Amino acid sequence: MTDTPDSRFNSSEDAARAVKEMLDELARLTTLEEESPQSFKVRAYEKASLAVEASTTDLRPLSAAGLARLDGVGKSTASKIRQFLDTGSVDKLEALRQAYPREFADLAKIPGVGPKTLKAMRNELGIQNLEDLRRALDEEQIRTLPRMGAASENKIKSAIERLGLGGKDNRTPVADVMGVAERMVERLSEHPSVVDVRYCGSLRRMAETIGDVDITVASTKPDDIMAAVVALPDVDEVLLSGSTKTSFLTSAGLQVDVRVVEPGQFGAAIMYFTGSKAHNIALRQRAIDRGLLLNEYGLFASAGDDDQTLVAAETEAGIYEALDLKFIPPPMREGTGEVAAADSDDLPEVIERKHIRGDLHYHTDRSGDGRSSLEDMVASANDQGYSYLAITDHGEDLAINGSTQAEMEEHRDKINQLQASYPKMRLLFGCELNIGPDGGLDYDPDFRAEFEYTVASVHSHFDLPKQEQTRRLIAAIEDPTVNSIGHLTGRYIGRRPGIEIDYDEVLAALIANDVALEVNGALQRLDAASNVVRKAVDMGVKLVINTDSHHTSELGRMEYGVQTAQRGWAPRQLVVNSWTEKKFMKWVASRR
Ligand code: DGT
Ligand code: CA
Ligand code: CA
Ligand code: ZN
């Protein structure tokens, strides 16, 4: 195969995605280079990245001049994109990677470590990586840098701890893994020798951070598969190349293990490699108790040492059934009582994607950060077959992204007009209200009451003490115009720790006021977290699973939200957006 400009990327979408990732990395490293996220160059890369994401144009055949004609793409960025499409790399980016190796650049993710500080850390103290930084913190050296003090040292220390960066193992936020894994699985599934393929491990269990990616392939031709794996565009360095297993690193340093198994053993294999280890052990114990043997090749009945008969192996469902258990959804397989619950028929009927009838946190370009029109956003929701949809653009208190009352009134008219074209889907004029530092909300209470549905969320003041954060949330929950609380802590997994609250108090307030708790399906958020969902479920708090979409490409987040809810053992009946429109609207009305 030759690398003509058109053959490097299989599809227009592949090319756009890779270009966007390249631009994002350029923006990140240029922020370090220029010591400011506000620099002209950084803004240019960010704008171009958004433009590429929003555009449906095939970038591959465009000349540099053609690329520069795209809205939001400047001339200099256009020539970098062209170079990337032609060669797979960009000189400028390679130079930046040299200057700022990944383990150093990653330190910029720690709240309290800005680009200026980071450079000073390296120039003054020789800090190159997390380990160096931790040592400098222990030796109280950071406070000797300009603008830093003992308080900044403490802030950085606690951020390292709360982000889970402290341990030896280097885990990656699920948001940085899912896209890569889905892409590899899709590509492998197109290979003629692949019978079935699935990602397993912590990713299939929808963990928040991922150690490595485990992909299992069913095929009778392992050699073909191993060759196809090392040819994947994501492979940066092959670590292990065996006859049925290949391990490699992606350019972002993520490890991927791909294993090939016989098609007849696919169920047993994906069950084993999905884990968790604790779940596997509980299942194997159950097998032993029944005189059976369970391993990655199947479930066997043993009639003497060398004589084993296969009981089940082809599908996971078949193995659970043979173990006399209900099927346990992967996100619940954490060894936290799910096997015992399935044994005594106490396993809840958890929410599934097919139960979802509406999205209740949904933006349009009425919001400063929204990127698709009202018409397109509503059409996309309609394609999902939803029977109701709350359009919740940002309230006025959210600086540049919010809308004034007059703008909202005009927006309402547009929504009402659009309703006529969608007889099967009820459109609700909604709002994402901002919870202020003291729990105050946008607009005056009379106008707030005109929204047909609201989600109230924290977007600022992340550093208040726990007690104040708790009080702040409870004040919002008690407001009669609030139907739900969006992304509870405001965290970005692995990047921003989110507010600290007293969960018992907040969940009790949700119950007392009959306000729903959102499970936000954006992968960087997954907020409320699954452990909080599980606590909420135990108390009987109502839930709502949303995508918080700002673009028509983001509706798939519903699946991630559902899996996070499953991880929290959320039963269908507690999820308000699984209810019929009639039941749902009755609940909304009872609050107002
Ligand atoms: P990670 O990669 O740290 O995010 O977490 P996992 O769960 O993906 O763990 P990984 O990649 O080490 O192993 C994948 C699965 O393989 C794991 O969930 C269960 C299974 N497994 C690994 N080691 C053992 C073991 O020693 N015993 C049993 N029963 N299963 C294991
Ligand atoms: Ca893994
Ligand atoms: Ca692994
Ligand atoms: Zn939102």
Side-chain angles (χ1 to χ4, degrees), residues 212-214 255 257 259:
D212 66 8
V213 177
D214 302 279
Q255 183 173 330
D257 297 338
R259 302 172 179 88

Side-chain angles (χ1 to χ4, degrees), residues 397 434-442 458 460-461 464 468-478:
D397 293 351
N434 304 285
I435 304 177
D438 53 0
L441 301 164
D442 322 59
V458 165
S460 64
H461 301 86
L464 301 176
E468 281 177 48
Q469 299 286 26
T470 304
R471 227 182 298 134
R472 170 190 193 190
L473 277 178
I474 292 174
I477 291 166
E478 288 174 344

Side-chain angles (χ1 to χ4, degrees), residues 361-363 369 392-394 432 455 457 459 487 518 520 525 548-550:
H361 185 166
Y362 204 69
H363 296 269
D369 53 358
T392 59
D393 284 300
H394 289 293
E432 178 170 16
V455 49
S457 342
H459 294 105
H487 47 70
E518 176 181 80
N520 189 300
R525 293 189 183 275
D548 196 359
S549 290
H550 289 68

Side-chain angles (χ1 to χ4, degrees), residues 279-292 294:
H279 180 78
N280 287 352
I281 289 170
L283 286 183
R284 199 183 317 134
Q285 187 57 51
R286 184 174 180 88
I288 290 168
D289 292 345
R290 287 158 192 254
L292 301 168
L294 178 66

Side-chain angles (χ1 to χ4, degrees), residues 480-491:
T481 66
V482 170
N483 296 106
S484 60
I485 296 295
H487 47 70
L488 184 63
T489 71
R491 71 172 179 173

Side-chain angles (χ1 to χ4, degrees), residues 320-331:
Y320 281 110
E321 202 187 320
L323 287 170
D324 206 7
L325 290 172
K326 246 176 65 176
F327 181 82
I328 301 176

